[in-house]
Amino acid sequence: MKILDEKIECISSEGMRSLQLERLQRLVEYLTKNSQFYQGKLEETGVAAGDIRELSDLTRLPFTVKADLRDNYPFGMFAVPMREIAEIHASSGTTGNPTVVAYTKKDIELWSMVMARAISIAGGTPDDIVQNAYGYGLFTGGLGVHYGALELGASVVPISSGGTKRQLKLMHDFGSTIITCTPSYALFMAEEAREMGYDPRKSPLKVGILGAEPWSDNLRREIEAAWDMTALDIYGLSEIIGPGVAQECPYKNGLHIFSDVFLPEIIDPVTGRVAEEGESGELIITTLTKEAMPLLRYRTGDIVTISHGTCECGRTLPRISKILGRTDDMLIIRGINVFPSQIESVLLQVEGARPHYQLVVDRIRGLDTLEVQVEVGEELFSDEIKQLQGLKEKIRKEIESVLALVVDVKLVEPKTIARSMGKAKRVIDRRSA
Ligand code: DLL
């Protein structure tokens, strides 16, 4: 398979470190000159541009957190005048101010470049037809993939999310070879296809570039079997650029992170201690070359492990694991820490459970409870009660043995759990209500 940017994607570790250091020094100088926000922060921390002499000096720099973006709503984080801003995106902002992010023209070029790399790492070439079913608009998924597909020279169908019947018709008629959407939407589309009497395994799709929400390897297997395609993970977040921060290759050995432009660190989210190779921690990213809104040591809240060393695909870019959870979506149930994706992983190993589930957390008489609602196949519902009871018990026991957590299991009929065209809502927490 051709490597798009071999000089960077296969660079030696010394080469990468010296590139990162040079860019980091330039970044701190740039921020000292251009960003009012960072001028204040750097002054508080007592670090000047000249103090960054080696890469390990990175840890002397201050963290940036989401609240900084909210507090400086709407444009307080910008490091360039408005006339240089080319594009502005914002989160949906269900609570309080939305998070605003902005790009100069050069930032859009950077976004196009990293997204072209991502599609290429997934196996995409100019011969592919990319059906882009991420939402277009203020969400960064749609436009990010779009720019990358253009940069790579592929053909892009900007269909956006939703309109499932039309998705399936155009996919078939156009011969789309790559689908880009959330994993939950890929699953839902396969379900709809079957209902329309169309076998998704016969679709022209070869690869799915799926992300924007957590998903387990077991869900990957479901999606791959449903579509008879390779399903690969893509990671990113609006604050850093959007999609295009890290991308899994067909060897499925972690996601290659574009560390020439997004400098990663993994730390213990509580103590701040740097994690060892292979140890999980919070991913922190410094954007090395952005103009409009560069971020120093941004706390993504996403929990990963990182590994270095050459991948079977030939790339030397470090690899992060699939996102194991978020610092803020970890459920603490009666003192036990669980991430929704761990429950997903267990559920999908039990025969009869379908990959549609929701977790309902509540506090009853001072005690946390977790109800796992999961759909089971139609055939099971017409079966004897005894069999359903057996399945329920099996799921309960499996979760208990893997996570040491006692939960209530509720089996529900097909299509009871709401389907999602974008990010799925897996957890309903009634404790704060
Ligand atoms: O979700 C950007 C994106 C679009 C990524 C399309 C991939 C594909 P935000 O809406 O700002 O941006 O949400 C970012 O979503 O901090 C993670 O918690 C989560 N997330 C993104 N990708 C993955 C993934 C886009 N592959 C937040 N696995 C991030 C797990 C993911 N979680």
Side-chain angles (χ1 to χ4, degrees):
M1 201 186 292
K2 190 177 163 284
I3 295 183
L4 193 67
D5 190 351
E6 216 171 312
K7 250 175 54 202
I8 292 292
E9 293 177 67
C10 304
I11 196 171
S12 68
S13 57
E14 306 79 67
M16 178 62 93
R17 289 177 69 81
S18 85
L19 182 67
Q20 288 169 332
L21 175 60
E22 186 194 310
R23 288 182 169 172
L24 182 65
Q25 288 168 329
R26 228 184 296 147
L27 171 70
V28 179
E29 256 168 53
Y30 176 85
L31 290 173
T32 312
K33 260 194 220 127
N34 301 298
S35 159
Q36 222 179 350
F37 171 78
Y38 279 113
Q39 280 160 2
K41 267 224 167 192
L42 289 167
E43 209 161 291
E44 251 171 56
T45 327
V47 187
D51 294 339
I52 307 297
R53 293 198 193 89
E54 37 192 295
L55 213 44
S56 57
D57 289 327
L58 175 66
T59 55
R60 301 176 59 186
L61 295 169
F63 288 119
T64 309
V65 294
K66 201 178 195 110
D68 290 323
L69 275 65
R70 293 228 174 96
D71 294 347
N72 290 283
Y73 176 84
F75 300 152
M77 298 292 292
F78 294 5
V80 295
M82 198 58 189
R83 59 194 304 265
E84 281 178 43
I85 299 284
E87 195 167 313
I88 303 177
H89 285 256
S91 71
S92 46
T94 35
T95 48
N97 279 340
T99 312
V100 174
V101 298
Y103 308 74
T104 61
K105 264 202 170 145
K106 231 178 106 207
D107 293 334
I108 301 277
E109 278 165 26
L110 168 71
W111 199 8
S112 310
M113 186 269 284
V114 285
M115 265 313 306
R117 269 193 209 164
I119 300 171
S120 141
I121 289 178
T125 72
D127 294 322
D128 279 296
I129 301 181
V130 179
Q131 182 158 334
N132 185 14
Y134 284 114
Y136 279 66
L138 289 179
F139 174 56
T140 51
L143 279 163
V145 170
H146 188 97
Y147 293 141
L150 291 186
E151 175 68 23
L152 183 67
S155 315
V156 56
V157 183
I159 189 162
S160 197
S161 58
T164 308
K165 287 203 168 73
R166 193 165 61 147
Q167 298 270 1
L168 293 164
K169 177 173 169 51
L170 296 193
M171 178 188 296
H172 174 266
D173 297 351
F174 292 3
S176 306
T177 48
I178 295 181
I179 183 83
T180 53
C181 63
T182 58
S184 50
Y185 192 41
L187 200 64
F188 175 47
M189 264 196 264
E191 192 177 57
E192 285 280 292
R194 278 186 230 106
E195 252 165 47
M196 285 163 63
Y198 166 62
D199 181 356
R201 287 171 307 179
K202 299 213 167 82
S203 87
L205 294 180
K206 292 194 202 117
V207 177
I209 302 181
L210 315 178
E213 64 181 8
W215 54 308
S216 62
D217 268 325
N218 288 331
L219 185 57
R220 183 214 303 273
R221 280 188 271 279
E222 289 268 348
I223 294 172
E224 291 192 326
W227 286 102
D228 190 18
M229 69 173 183
T230 304
L232 299 173
D233 199 354
I234 180 166
Y235 168 77
L237 63 165
S238 314
E239 298 91 311
I240 297 304
I241 196 132
V245 173
Q247 171 68 48
E248 197 174 38
C249 73
Y251 290 95
K252 299 174 183 163
N253 243 326
L255 286 74
H256 294 279
I257 181 160
F258 301 133
S259 56
D260 56 320
V261 285
F262 307 128
L263 180 57
E265 298 169 83
I266 315 288
I267 64 161
D268 180 315
V270 181
T271 63
R273 183 182 58 82
V274 176
E276 306 280 329
E277 177 100 358
E279 192 189 352
S280 67
E282 182 180 355
L283 175 64
I284 312 292
I285 299 178
T286 299
T287 61
L288 291 174
T289 59
K290 274 173 67 181
E291 288 183 339
M293 215 183 98
L295 296 179
L296 280 184
R297 306 190 79 202
Y298 185 69
R299 300 196 62 149
T300 66
D302 294 314
I303 311 272
V304 297
T305 61
I306 197 162
S307 60
H308 295 81
T310 311
C311 176
E312 281 175 88
C313 71
R315 293 182 179 84
T316 52
L317 293 171
R319 280 163 283 155
I320 55 167
S321 61
K322 274 178 139 341
I323 308 302
L324 307 171
R326 283 190 52 79
T327 48
D328 54 9
D329 81 356
M330 186 176 74
L331 298 169
I332 307 180
I333 309 289
R334 298 185 298 268
I336 298 173
N337 301 346
V338 262
F339 289 116
S341 53
Q342 289 178 298
I343 295 186
E344 172 181 298
S345 201
V346 176
L347 277 180
L348 297 191
Q349 272 166 27
V350 179
E351 205 184 317
R354 304 291 308 127
H356 303 287
Y357 68 95
Q358 204 156 41
L359 310 178
V360 183
V361 188
D362 210 342
R363 183 166 290 149
I364 298 171
R365 285 188 294 276
L367 206 63
D368 293 337
T369 59
L370 174 60
E371 182 180 79
V372 177
Q373 300 183 346
V374 58
E375 288 184 11
V376 296
E378 195 93 58
E379 43 333 317
L380 274 172
F381 259 94
S382 44
D383 272 0
E384 281 183 49
I385 290 283
K386 230 167 71 193
Q387 217 162 338
L388 279 177
Q389 277 299 348
L391 178 60
K392 205 163 132 166
E393 198 47 29
K394 199 165 163 198
I395 294 175
R396 214 183 55 76
K397 279 212 176 111
E398 203 60 25
I399 294 178
E400 189 175 348
S401 81
V402 179
L403 301 170
L405 181 71
V406 179
V407 299
D408 299 316
V409 176
K410 185 176 176 190
L411 302 182
V412 297
E413 289 188 50
K415 296 262 170 132
T416 313
I417 311 268
R419 299 295 188 257
S420 154
M421 320 263 176
K423 299 183 190 239
K425 184 163 173 58
R426 300 294 193 194
V427 180
I428 299 175
D429 198 336
R430 298 203 175 118
R431 286 179 297 189
S432 46

